[in-house]
Amino acid sequence: GQQVMQIPQYQHVQEGEDFTTYCNSSTTLSNIQWYKQRPGGHPVFLIQLVKSGEVKKQKRLTFQFGEAKKNSSLHITATQTTDVGTYFCAVLLRRAGGTSYGKLTFGQGTILTVHP
Amino acid sequence: GAVVSQHPSWVICKSGTSVKIECRSLDFQATTMFWYRQFPKQSLMLMATSNEGSKATYEQGVEKDKFLINHASLTLSTLTVTSAHPEDSSFYICSAKGRLGNTEAFFGQGTRLTVV
C-alpha cells in the first residue's frame, strides 16, 4: 500500500516564525491530504492535492505536491498560537478506476508548538 | 461540511469489562465508516472498515473478536471493545464516507478510553 514518511516529528517555533512539515513516499502518490488535529481534538481536513506540482494556499498556509508526486509539504507563514497542533499528511486509497474508497493512510504527524 | 458524532467522548472502565462506542453521521448517509486508534503523540492507525449491512474488514493485526464492529444502519456504526485491558487504553476515532464519494474524511470527536 501507499505509505508516507513525515518529518519532523516535533517543531517548536516562536510566534511569528515560519513552519514547514514534509511528507515523502518511495512510490508515486495518487493524492495527498493534509489534516490538523488540535490537542485533545480530532483531525480536521485542510486540503487535498492531486496534480503534479500543484500549489494551493489558504491564508498563511501553503501546500505543495511535488512534480513526481512523491512528496508534499505544508508551510505556515508567521505562525500564531492558534496554529498549535499536530499536522498530518494522509493518502486516500482509491479503487481501481479511480473512485474514492475513503480509507486513509496517515503519516506520523508533526507536532507544532508555538511560543508566544 | 458533514457532521459525524461520536459518543461517549471519554470512558473509564474496569479491566475485563466491555465498552461500546457509537459513531453517527448526522446529516448524511454513511455507507462506509472507519475506525482508528491513536496512542499519545502517535499517528492514527486504521483498525477496521465498517460497511453498512455487511461484515467489517479488519486491518492486519487487529483482533476481530476483541473489537466488534456493527454497522446496522446508514447512520450508525458501533465499536465494542470486549474484555478490555489496560493496553487497550487509547483514543478511538471514527470517520465516515457518504455515498457521493466526497474526498475528505469527516471525523467524530473521538473517544478516550481508559481501562483501569
Side-chain angles (χ1 to χ4, degrees):
Chain A
Q2 296 181 321
Q3 294 185 334
V4 287
M5 299 297 293
Q6 189 173 354
I7 56 170
Q9 186 177 1
Y10 300 94
Q11 187 74 61
H12 311 282
V13 300
Q14 282 296 128
E15 189 172 21
E17 292 181 339
D18 293 355
F19 158 76
T20 306
T21 173
Y22 302 88
C23 274
N24 299 288
S25 172
S26 58
T27 60
T28 301
L29 302 172
S30 56
N31 63 85
I32 192 128
Q33 297 186 352
W34 287 92
Y35 290 81
K36 176 183 179 181
Q37 184 179 24
R38 293 182 185 275
H42 62 279
V44 175
F45 175 82
L46 294 176
I47 210 155
Q48 175 171 275
L49 305 171
V50 296
K51 297 178 181 177
S52 169
E54 190 169 14
V55 178
K56 288 187 177 180
K57 292 189 176 184
Q58 291 178 352
K59 298 183 179 178
R60 293 178 295 104
L61 278 61
T62 302
F63 305 85
Q64 292 188 320
F65 203 8
E67 293 289 342
K69 300 180 72 173
K70 290 185 176 182
N71 56 75
S72 181
S73 64
L74 158 58
H75 179 82
I76 302 179
T77 304
T79 55
Q80 300 175 357
T81 54
T82 53
D83 295 325
V84 165
T86 303
Y87 292 84
F88 291 99
C89 60
V91 180
L92 178 67
L93 184 66
R94 294 190 177 277
R95 300 184 192 277
T99 56
S100 166
Y101 177 31
K103 178 176 171 179
L104 288 168
T105 299
F106 284 85
Q108 295 85 347
T110 296
I111 299 173
L112 172 65
T113 54
V114 180
H115 300 287
Chain B
V3 178
V4 176
S5 177
Q6 190 172 337
H7 178 81
S9 56
W10 61 270
V11 58
I12 302 172
C13 71
K14 290 185 177 181
S15 188
T17 62
S18 295
V19 173
K20 180 184 283 189
I21 302 170
E22 294 186 348
C23 182
R24 293 180 184 274
S25 56
L26 298 185
D27 53 358
F28 69 104
Q29 293 183 329
T31 54
T32 306
M33 290 186 176
F34 302 90
W35 288 96
Y36 294 85
R37 180 167 54 183
Q38 185 180 34
F39 292 106
K41 298 190 186 301
Q42 293 189 22
S43 188
L44 287 83
M45 298 301 296
L46 180 66
M47 299 175 65
T49 302
S50 173
N51 304 297
E52 185 266 336
S54 65
K55 290 183 179 180
T57 306
Y58 290 82
E59 296 298 303
Q60 192 173 9
V62 178
E63 300 175 58
K64 61 181 181 180
D65 294 330
K66 180 168 183 61
F67 298 99
L68 301 179
I69 291 173
N70 184 278
H71 195 152
S73 77
L74 285 171
T75 59
L76 174 64
S77 174
T78 61
L79 168 67
T80 301
V81 183
T82 63
S83 187
H85 293 284
E87 56 266 31
D88 298 324
S89 298
S90 187
F91 192 51
Y92 292 87
I93 313 176
C94 68
S95 74
K97 174 188 177 301
R99 289 182 184 276
L100 296 180
N102 51 275
T103 57
E104 66 179 276
F106 299 101
F107 286 87
Q109 301 91 327
T111 298
R112 188 160 303 282
L113 170 64
T114 302
V115 185
V116 297

